[in-house]
Amino acid sequence: MNRTIKKAYLPLLLGSLFLCGLSPANAQAETETKTKANAEATAKPTSKPKVTVKPTTKPKDKEVTITISAAGDCTFGSDRISTSSANFYSVYNRVKDNRYFFRKVSSIFKNDDMTIVNLEGTLTNRGERADKKYAFRGKPSYAKILKKGHIEAVSFANNHCKDFGNVSYRDTRATLEKYDISYASYGKTGIYRTKGKRIGMVATDETYQSYSTCKNQIRSGIQKLKKKKVDLIIVSLHSGIEYTSEPTYEQKSLSHYAVKKGANLVLGHHPHVLQGIEKYRGAYIVYSLGNFCFGGNTNPPDKDTMIFQQTFTFKGDKLLKKQSPAKIIPCSVSSRRDINNYQPKPVSGKRYRKILNRVARYSRSLGTSFVTKKGKKTCVLR
């Protein structure tokens, strides 16, 4: 150590020794030395070394894709007038396997990020049957069918939500919550979380409610979800005329209204048959998904159905405006042709083309056309 450095450190050393118990004389000498050092510091200020701050570079926002699959009416139960040897209960009691019902489509639902269906009927052991033509009730344990089928969410706002009174409606909601199945029902919005994104859901029913009530529920539901800062909004609409392929004015008007208010996807049901697809202001509207795992009919004459699938791309917290085209997967509500075995499955060959052409025909008047790209059928705005 050179002499200059040793001289600079001397006051500090003396101060430390004084604190350890040195004599007052030494303390006085240390004080005089310290005063001199301070005077020199005042006369000749030392320059601080320059500190270079490197600008932090923000990494590019990572892209995240969310694939949503949507299917139609699922009824885990049958009406009292159904044939006891062929109804939903008889099949369930025979197979004794909750995986059975969605086994043929579970690979599709397992590999997406969210699957949503319309739950048409109640899951309860209580209540009196409503005075109506058809009423559906399944055991609360039937909710396991959804879990085993990789179905994460349901819309629960339709004309069969209270088939066994208000208690059946409350019981079904409690059952969905017990089995951790996300749902939306009238004024109750739902949120499903996946890959760090929050998918908000609104569900309303125009068959048992007025048009204005549905409109209010759509508006207020979307407002609630926006306040919760969800990343994506799905509106499920139960509306239309049964067994017709043409959407009604109410279906179109309410669906358009939902998109204007902020819905990214609108899913329709109630007609029990397929209807067309429209792309409105950048959002797809599926006017009717038809039946799917439907215990309401032991042998429906029209077994055509489909899975609608769309992938949404986010960059950071932002949903990209330009999205990949949606696609449909043609299916049958039953794995058998002669009867409904309540096991929907994808179809191929002539049946595949028949269903695809059917939906394409319904969609043409709505401005949507279908194309084939790399062997995959997609629906895109013409």
Side-chain angles (χ1 to χ4, degrees):
M1 183 181 295
N2 61 44
R3 292 181 179 179
T4 305
I5 295 174
K6 287 171 71 176
K7 184 178 180 181
Y9 276 88
L10 185 58
L12 296 176
L13 180 60
L14 292 173
S16 299
L17 292 172
F18 175 72
L19 291 174
C20 292
L22 294 181
S23 66
N26 289 338
Q28 182 179 357
E30 186 274 337
T31 303
E32 291 174 355
T33 305
K34 189 173 183 181
T35 302
K36 184 178 179 182
N38 289 340
E40 291 177 355
T42 305
K44 297 179 181 180
T46 57
S47 59
K48 294 182 179 179
K50 293 182 179 180
V51 179
T52 305
V53 180
K54 294 182 179 180
T56 56
T57 55
K58 186 179 179 181
K60 291 183 178 180
D61 291 327
K62 184 180 178 182
E63 285 194 357
V64 175
T65 58
I66 303 292
T67 298
I68 296 175
S69 301
D73 297 342
C74 291
T75 302
F76 306 137
S78 298
D79 187 65
R80 62 187 180 186
I81 64 172
S82 62
T83 305
S84 60
S85 61
N87 64 18
F88 185 90
Y89 309 115
S90 67
V91 172
Y92 186 91
N93 292 334
R94 185 172 68 251
V95 299
K96 293 182 173 60
D97 184 2
N98 291 308
R99 291 181 176 83
Y100 163 85
F101 299 94
F102 292 108
R103 180 173 292 154
K104 302 286 186 180
V105 293
S106 63
S107 61
I108 298 171
F109 296 161
K110 184 178 180 179
N111 291 315
D112 62 19
D113 298 298
M114 173 185 172
T115 303
I116 180 171
V117 301
N118 177 51
L119 180 60
E120 185 125 26
T122 61
L123 299 175
T124 181
N125 293 318
R126 302 192 296 166
E128 295 294 326
R129 188 186 190 278
D131 184 15
K132 57 192 302 187
K133 187 174 182 180
Y134 300 109
F136 305 121
R137 173 166 63 179
K139 295 179 181 179
S141 61
Y142 287 179
K144 294 176 184 177
I145 296 171
L146 295 168
K147 298 295 288 187
K148 297 299 182 180
H150 304 286
I151 294 168
E152 292 84 16
V154 302
S155 60
F156 189 53
N158 54 64
N159 56 313
H160 290 284
C161 284
K162 300 179 182 179
D163 277 357
F164 286 79
N166 289 327
V167 67
S168 67
Y169 173 71
R170 294 193 300 269
D171 283 358
T172 305
R173 287 183 55 173
T175 295
L176 293 172
E177 290 166 6
K178 174 184 176 182
Y179 285 93
D180 194 27
I181 297 167
S182 299
Y183 72 96
S185 181
Y186 302 105
K188 195 271 181 192
T189 58
I191 297 177
Y192 178 72
R193 295 167 175 80
T194 180
K195 289 184 175 177
K197 301 300 178 186
R198 303 165 80 234
I199 303 169
M201 297 173 288
V202 177
T204 189
D205 170 25
E206 195 258 332
T207 65
Y208 266 29
Q209 296 184 130
S210 68
Y211 173 90
S212 60
T213 300
C214 287
K215 202 170 181 179
N216 289 336
Q217 287 176 349
I218 290 170
R219 186 190 69 253
S220 62
I222 291 176
Q223 284 177 347
K224 288 178 186 176
L225 293 172
K226 284 184 175 180
K227 286 181 180 178
K228 294 179 180 178
K229 301 186 183 303
V230 298
D231 300 286
L232 201 70
I233 296 176
I234 299 174
V235 171
S236 294
L237 174 63
H238 205 74
S239 181
I241 300 172
E242 292 183 341
Y243 307 108
T244 60
S245 59
E246 185 71 21
T248 64
Y249 165 82
E250 288 79 11
Q251 282 177 274
K252 291 180 180 179
S253 179
L254 288 170
S255 297
H256 289 181
Y257 180 77
V259 174
K260 289 175 184 176
K261 288 298 178 182
N264 303 107
L265 175 63
V266 179
L267 303 172
H269 24 77
H270 179 63
H272 296 294
V273 292
L274 295 172
Q275 291 185 346
I277 299 168
E278 180 182 11
K279 195 173 187 183
Y280 180 74
R281 293 192 175 190
Y284 283 109
I285 299 170
V286 188
Y287 281 106
S288 177
L289 286 156
N291 294 327
F292 203 64
C293 182
F294 187 63
N297 193 326
T298 57
N299 192 21
D302 185 355
K303 295 183 178 67
D304 290 352
T305 189
M306 67 181 181
I307 297 169
F308 174 87
Q309 198 170 73
Q310 184 176 3
T311 298
F312 295 88
T313 303
F314 296 84
K315 193 164 187 179
D317 295 332
K318 185 178 181 182
L319 175 65
L320 298 184
K321 287 185 178 181
K322 189 175 181 180
Q323 298 289 335
S324 302
K327 70 176 181 179
I328 68 169
I329 304 171
C331 298
S332 171
V333 301
S334 174
S335 297
R336 291 175 54 174
R337 294 229 177 174
D338 59 330
I339 200 169
N340 188 1
N341 67 352
Y342 317 108
Q343 191 182 60
K345 71 166 188 174
V347 296
S348 58
K350 291 182 179 179
R351 186 85 182 276
Y352 179 99
R353 292 189 294 273
K354 170 181 171 287
I355 295 173
L356 185 71
N357 291 336
R358 177 181 178 180
V359 180
R361 186 171 69 253
Y362 297 157
S363 304
R364 200 169 295 125
S365 62
L366 300 168
T368 308
S369 62
F370 287 67
V371 298
T372 303
K373 186 177 181 181
K374 295 181 180 180
K376 295 181 179 179
K377 304 293 182 180
T378 59
C379 52
V380 297
L381 184 64
R382 185 168 24 177

